[in-house]
């Protein structure tokens, strides 16, 4: 079970007017595109876009955004193209997938200082907002699930992603009024950046 049944249950329980056929088609497309790909946890890769879509449902996003969440990595990580996405799911979904892909990719990231890297990320995010604010919501959902599963990555990557999350993504969530996501991103980042302090703090609360 990869979580799609739980996603569909969450969609139905929301009582919002979702296009279940379109969402199912997006899932089937993504599942086929990511076939054979695995996450560092050992799970099939499709579990990640499903989890992102689930977060988007919790945020009350629309059908097109849920579909884009399911498809958000297919152009970056598979042989799929934006033209295919546009033909099958429409221009809005294709634009969102393209926007998330552009936010994810930064060929200059290895050349930039921490401050310049943060500025570059923010610049790309605000450009995406100008086109469709839903792109940033998808990216925040993507980062949230990646932070929830960051424990499977190397220590170096955990620290790097946690610092980036504290510097860029948590403040962005705050700007969007997404307080619960901001707090969770900060808590997860704290647990990787200051693990001993986090253990002490957690123990003090439990006692």
């Amino acid at each position: 079970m990869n979580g799609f049944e739980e996603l569909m249950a969450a969609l139905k329980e929301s009582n919002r007017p979702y296009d279940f056929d379109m969402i199912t088609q997006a899932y089937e497309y993504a599942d086929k595109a990511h076939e054979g790909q695995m996450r560092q946890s050992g799970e099939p890769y499709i579990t990640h876009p499903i989890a992102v879509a689930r977060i988007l449902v919790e945020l009350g996003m629309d059908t097109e955004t849920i579909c884009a969440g399911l498809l958000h990595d297919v152009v970056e990580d598979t042989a799929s193209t934006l033209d295919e996405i546009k033909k099958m799911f429409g221009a809005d979904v294709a634009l969102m997938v393209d926007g998330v892909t552009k936010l994810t990719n930064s060929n200059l990231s290895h050349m930039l200082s921490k401050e310049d890297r943060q500025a570059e990320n923010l610049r790309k995010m605000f450009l995406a907002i100008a086109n469709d604010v839903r792109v940033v919501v998808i990216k925040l959902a993507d980062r949230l699930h990646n932070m929830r599963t960051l424990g499977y990555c190397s220590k170096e990557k955990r620290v790097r992603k946690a610092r980036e999350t504290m510097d860029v993504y948590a403040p962005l969530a705050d700007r969007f009024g997404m307080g619960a996501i901001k707090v969770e991103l900060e808590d997860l980042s704290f647990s990787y950046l200051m693990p001993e302090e986090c253990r002490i703090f957690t123990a003090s609360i439990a006692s």
Side-chain angles (χ1 to χ4, degrees):
M1 306 291 281
N2 60 21
F4 182 66
E5 292 82 0
E6 289 81 1
L7 172 62
M8 291 300 289
L11 288 164
K12 293 173 183 176
E13 289 170 7
S14 73
N15 291 318
R16 287 188 286 270
Y18 285 116
D19 184 336
F20 295 103
D21 290 340
M22 183 177 177
I23 292 170
T24 299
Q25 185 182 17
Y27 157 71
E28 291 174 347
Y29 183 96
D31 189 38
K32 183 176 180 180
H34 289 297
E35 187 175 6
Q37 296 179 349
M38 307 295 287
R39 302 202 84 211
Q40 289 183 301
S41 63
E43 295 177 303
Y45 192 87
I46 190 62
T47 58
H48 169 62
I50 289 173
V52 170
R54 180 70 181 271
I55 293 169
L56 294 171
V57 174
E58 293 169 2
L59 292 172
M61 303 306 291
D62 59 14
T63 291
E64 287 74 16
T65 310
I66 305 302
C67 289
L70 287 166
L71 299 164
H72 78 273
D73 277 334
V74 296
V75 173
E76 180 185 4
D77 293 339
T78 78
S80 300
T81 67
L82 279 174
D83 284 342
E84 290 176 357
I85 301 300
K86 184 175 181 179
K87 289 176 183 176
M88 294 185 68
F89 303 102
D92 278 359
V93 173
L95 284 171
M96 282 187 274
V97 172
D98 186 41
V100 174
T101 301
K102 288 176 178 175
L103 286 178
T104 302
N105 292 331
S106 177
N107 295 329
L108 298 175
S109 61
H110 66 289
M111 301 168 57
L112 300 174
S113 68
K114 174 186 171 183
E115 292 78 13
D116 286 341
R117 203 162 47 238
Q118 178 178 349
E120 172 71 4
N121 283 333
L122 287 172
R123 183 188 67 81
K124 290 192 296 180
M125 284 185 179
F126 284 114
L127 285 173
I129 291 171
N131 292 324
D132 193 330
V133 69
R134 294 174 295 179
V135 169
V136 180
V137 178
I138 295 169
K139 188 59 187 174
L140 285 170
D142 172 52
R143 176 53 61 109
L144 178 58
H145 183 249
N146 280 330
M147 288 299 294
R148 287 174 176 174
T149 56
L150 196 60
Y152 295 100
C153 300
S154 66
K155 181 179 180 180
E156 179 183 2
K157 185 173 182 179
R158 291 198 301 267
V159 171
R160 176 167 51 84
K161 290 294 185 181
R163 186 167 290 119
E164 183 181 66
T165 298
M166 287 289 282
D167 289 344
V168 177
Y169 291 92
L172 191 65
D174 187 42
R175 289 275 184 162
F176 274 69
M178 301 163 70
I181 288 181
K182 168 187 175 288
V183 170
E184 186 173 356
L185 288 174
E186 288 178 336
D187 288 348
L188 289 166
S189 298
F190 179 55
S191 71
Y192 293 117
L193 292 172
M194 306 180 72
E196 186 59 32
E197 291 85 346
C198 186
R199 281 193 290 271
I200 294 171
F201 179 71
T202 302
S204 68
I205 293 177
S207 62

